[in-house]
C-alpha cells in the first residue's frame, strides 16, 4: 500500500462515520520539469491562504496547543494513530501542517528502513515517542482505535478471607475410634 492508498482508506473510514465530520486532506505536490533552468526539477503545490499551523512536528517534542485543542489538530492526531494501527506500528505520519483541514508537506517515519518501499524522512525514534506520548481523542474513539498506553495495573490486594461456617468445624479422625465414658476410663488409669 502506498501513502496515497493510506490517505484514501483513512478518508473512507472516517467518512463512513457521520459523527467524524470533515476529513483532513493532504494536498498533492507536483514535480515539474524545467529543462532550460539550472535546477531542472522543482516541486509545486497549491497555495494555502490562511493561518498556517504545524499540527505535529518531526521530533514529537514540541507542545502545540493548536494540535491538541483544534478540530483539525485532533483529526491529524487520529490520522497518525490510524496509520500507526494499520501498519502495526511500522509507519507514522508526522510533520503535519497546513491551513485548517488542508495539509501539506507531511513527513513519514518508518520502523524498519524501507518498510513496504517507504523511505522515511524522519527518525525511527519518532514512532517510539508517538507511542509513549499519544493521547487518544474523540476522533480516535469514533474510528474504534484503542489506546496505545498500557492499562494501569490494579493494586494487589490481600485475598479475601473465606467465610466461616456457622457451626464449629468437625475434627477429622483416622482409624477406629473408641467411645468410652470417663467412669470406664478411670479404673484403667489406676492400673
Amino acid at each position: 500500500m502506498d501513502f496515497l492508498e493510506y490517505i484514501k482508506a483513512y478518508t473512507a473510514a472516517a467518512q463512513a462515520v457521520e459523527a467524524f465530520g470533515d476529513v483532513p486532506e493532504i494536498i498533492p505536490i507536483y514535480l515539474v520539469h524545467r529543462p532550460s533552468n539550472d535546477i531542472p526539477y522543482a516541486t509545486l503545490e497549491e497555495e494555502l491562504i490562511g493561518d498556517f499551523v504545524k499540527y505535529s512536528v518531526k521530533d514529537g517534542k514540541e507542545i502545540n496547543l493548536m494540535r491538541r485543542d483544534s478540530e483539525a489538530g485532533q483529526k491529524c492526531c487520529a490520522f497518525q494513530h490510524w496509520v500507526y494501527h494499520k501498519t502495526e506500528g511500522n509507519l507514522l505520519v508526522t510533520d503535519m501542517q497546513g491551513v485548517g483541514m488542508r495539509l501539506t508537506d507531511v513527513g513519514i517515519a518508518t520502523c524498519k528502513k524501507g518498510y513496504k518501499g517507504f523511505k522515511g524522512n524522519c527518525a525511527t525514534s519518532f514512532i517510539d515517542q508517538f507511542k509513549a506520548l499519544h493521547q487518544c481523542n474523540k476522533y480516535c474513539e469514533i474510528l474504534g482505535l484503542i489506546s496505545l498506553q498500557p492499562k494501569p495495573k490494579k493494586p494487589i490486594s490481600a485475598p479475601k478471607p473465606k467465610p466461616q461456617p456457622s457451626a464449629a468445624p468437625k475434627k477429622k479422625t483416622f482409624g477406629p475410634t473408641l467411645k468410652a465414658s470417663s467412669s470406664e476410663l478411670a479404673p484403667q488409669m489406676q492400673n
Side-chain angles (χ1 to χ4, degrees):
M1 186 179 268
D2 70 9
F3 188 64
L4 185 57
E5 290 176 34
Y6 283 113
I7 294 168
K8 287 178 182 178
Y10 173 74
T11 300
Q15 287 176 337
V17 183
E18 188 177 325
F20 194 89
D22 293 335
V23 180
E25 171 192 5
I26 298 175
I27 62 170
I29 297 174
Y30 301 97
L31 180 65
V32 268
H33 182 231
R34 308 174 306 171
S36 61
N37 197 303
D38 290 342
I39 303 171
Y41 292 96
T43 57
L44 180 68
E45 64 185 347
E46 178 183 336
E47 180 180 14
L48 296 176
I49 299 172
D51 293 331
F52 194 85
V53 178
K54 286 190 169 231
Y55 296 112
S56 67
V57 293
K58 287 185 180 180
D59 66 8
K61 293 179 184 175
E62 180 180 307
I63 296 173
N64 187 330
L65 297 178
M66 285 300 291
R67 175 183 180 177
R68 188 184 70 213
D69 296 341
S70 72
E71 178 183 355
Q74 289 181 32
K75 288 179 177 181
C76 287
C77 200
F79 177 54
Q80 287 181 295
H81 187 169
W82 187 88
V83 169
Y84 178 90
H85 171 75
K86 289 295 180 189
T87 62
E88 298 176 347
N90 287 297
L91 188 72
L92 179 68
V93 180
T94 188
D95 202 21
M96 298 174 78
Q97 54 198 338
V99 176
M101 296 284 189
R102 309 222 43 218
L103 308 174
T104 183
D105 197 25
V106 298
I108 298 173
T110 58
C111 190
K112 300 171 189 164
K113 195 169 192 160
Y115 170 77
K116 291 192 175 185
F118 284 98
K119 292 183 173 96
N121 58 355
C122 300
T124 59
S125 63
F126 301 158
I127 294 174
D128 295 331
Q129 288 175 358
F130 176 77
K131 184 178 178 182
L133 299 175
H134 174 69
Q135 294 179 354
C136 287
N137 60 50
K138 69 181 182 178
Y139 299 105
C140 294
E141 292 170 14
I142 288 171
L143 294 173
L145 300 169
I146 57 171
S147 176
L148 302 175
Q149 306 306 317
K151 293 181 180 176
K153 294 181 180 178
K154 292 181 180 178
I156 299 173
S157 58
K160 293 182 180 179
K162 293 182 181 178
Q164 297 295 324
S166 57
K170 295 181 179 179
K171 286 187 176 180
K172 291 184 180 180
T173 56
F174 299 97
T177 57
L178 297 173
K179 290 187 179 180
S181 65
S182 59
S183 60
E184 292 175 338
L185 290 175
Q188 293 175 349
M189 293 178 105
Q190 290 175 352
N191 290 339

